[in-house]
Amino acid sequence: MSGNRTLTNTPAEAASANPFFRWFMPAVPLARVAVFRVFIYVFIIIDVLTISGDVIAHGWTPEFYQPLWLARFLHIPAVSVLGAQTLLALIIVFSLLAAAGILQRVSGWAVAITFGAWMFYTQGYGYVAHDHMALVIAAFVLPTIGTARFRDVGTASARAGWALRVVQIAVVLTYFYSVLMKWIASGNITHWANGAVIIWALMRRGAEWSKPFLEMPGLLIAAQWATLVFEFLSPVALFLKGKWLYGVVAFFCLFHLMTYIALGIHFLPTVICWAAFLPLEKLVPKRFAAPRALA
């Protein structure tokens, strides 16, 4: 028997003549999921210890808790210090298990629930950051795939393709929705594009090397228009392949690198999710990817 075959997890994942379903649920190697899973779960640990590491401190000020609408719907109360410490410990333990591929469904769902709660608490105190949207969605869709191992390079699954596609959609919508919110907040998108957004950002938090650009308002306004254009066109990444897709991924990663160098804004939770667009199975060493002999 050949190791290069496509497995379907459910009848609904069988090959379909419908072009939309072929696009929405492409059969991708399970090894791709195995590598992506490591990226996501290791980053979640980094995230809760650094980027969103304010939840324990929030436990001291429950009176300032302003739950998001979903947290209000679920009746999630303010977190205590002990509760936040327990939540942190659970996230780290289950993320390590999930990254290692141990009890993949159980550990994955445990991460999704605990990390989801952590997000309610870190964003329930007056500031809501949209850079975590794709990361949270990745945490919730990965457990739906089931077992995915590094050696499954030749085993493809439409269920895995669906999960990665959902993460991809969340990534590009992060940018597309950003344009919509700029439009809503400014009342007229040209007001935002022709405004002093970048000038204000450079004045408030710009690196020293970037300060000379304050003398070039025309260039900064052009940069604002360019930002709107590529954010609005970001969904195009869902339909690209090969070098064109890799070019788009590299472009967005370089854009975030530049904003970090210039303004200290990294957007790492979204950047790590751009990996969902890449053939990560190629990172698996051949000695691990070789199919096992069949009895």
Side-chain angles (χ1 to χ4, degrees):
M1 295 179 63
S2 172
N4 295 319
R5 57 197 179 103
T6 299
L7 298 182
T8 54
N9 301 96
T10 67
E13 291 182 349
S16 170
N18 188 313
F20 172 76
F21 285 108
R22 287 202 306 270
W23 172 84
F24 193 53
M25 298 187 296
V28 302
L30 285 170
R32 184 178 303 183
V33 173
V35 178
F36 184 67
R37 182 182 60 207
V38 174
F39 284 10
I40 292 299
Y41 291 128
V42 170
F43 184 79
I44 284 176
I45 296 175
I46 296 172
D47 185 89
V48 297
L49 291 175
T50 57
I51 301 172
S52 62
D54 55 1
V55 175
I56 294 177
H58 287 164
W60 295 102
T61 57
E63 64 273 16
F64 295 126
Y65 181 47
Q66 299 176 0
L68 305 177
W69 71 265
L70 185 55
R72 295 195 300 270
F73 176 78
L74 296 175
H75 301 288
I76 296 177
V79 69
S80 65
V81 174
L82 178 59
Q85 293 171 335
T86 302
L87 196 59
L88 177 63
L90 291 175
I91 291 172
I92 293 174
V93 170
F94 285 120
S95 292
L96 289 173
L97 292 175
I102 300 173
L103 299 174
Q104 293 181 26
R105 284 188 184 274
V106 174
S107 57
W109 282 118
V111 173
I113 294 170
T114 54
F115 183 60
W118 187 269
M119 284 294 101
F120 282 136
Y121 291 130
T122 190
Q123 309 212 26
Y125 284 78
Y127 177 73
V128 178
H130 63 293
D131 62 338
H132 279 75
M133 181 177 76
L135 183 64
V136 173
I137 288 178
F140 273 91
V141 298
L142 280 175
T144 68
I145 299 171
T147 302
R149 298 161 296 194
F150 294 114
R151 64 172 177 265
D152 292 332
V153 173
T155 303
S157 165
R159 181 178 295 175
W162 169 83
L164 291 179
R165 183 68 79 196
V166 170
V167 177
Q168 293 171 2
I169 292 172
V171 169
V172 299
L173 286 183
T174 300
Y175 302 94
F176 188 79
Y177 285 162
S178 176
V179 176
L180 296 183
M181 291 308 300
K182 288 166 184 164
W183 198 328
I184 293 172
S186 63
N188 186 322
I189 194 63
T190 62
H191 293 168
W192 188 94
N194 291 323
V197 177
I198 296 181
I199 292 176
W200 176 78
L202 288 174
M203 292 177 62
R204 186 170 64 95
R205 57 188 303 169
E208 284 302 317
W209 69 266
S210 65
K211 293 300 175 66
F213 288 103
L214 292 172
E215 306 299 325
M216 308 175 191
L219 178 63
L220 297 181
I221 289 176
Q224 289 171 180
W225 276 103
T227 300
L228 287 178
V229 170
F230 73 71
E231 285 185 332
F232 181 77
L233 294 177
S234 58
V236 171
L238 298 171
F239 305 98
L240 298 177
K241 294 181 180 180
K243 63 181 181 180
W244 292 103
L245 174 60
Y246 305 151
V248 168
V249 174
F251 170 81
F252 276 93
C253 290
L254 287 173
F255 166 73
H256 290 301
L257 177 61
M258 286 300 300
T259 57
Y260 176 69
I261 294 174
L263 301 172
I265 302 173
H266 54 74
F267 232 68
L268 276 177
T270 300
V271 171
I272 197 70
C273 291
W274 275 104
F277 288 86
L278 304 177
L280 300 175
E281 66 276 9
K282 294 182 179 180
L283 297 177
V284 179
K286 291 184 178 180
R287 65 179 180 275
F288 295 133
R292 295 177 301 174
L294 299 177

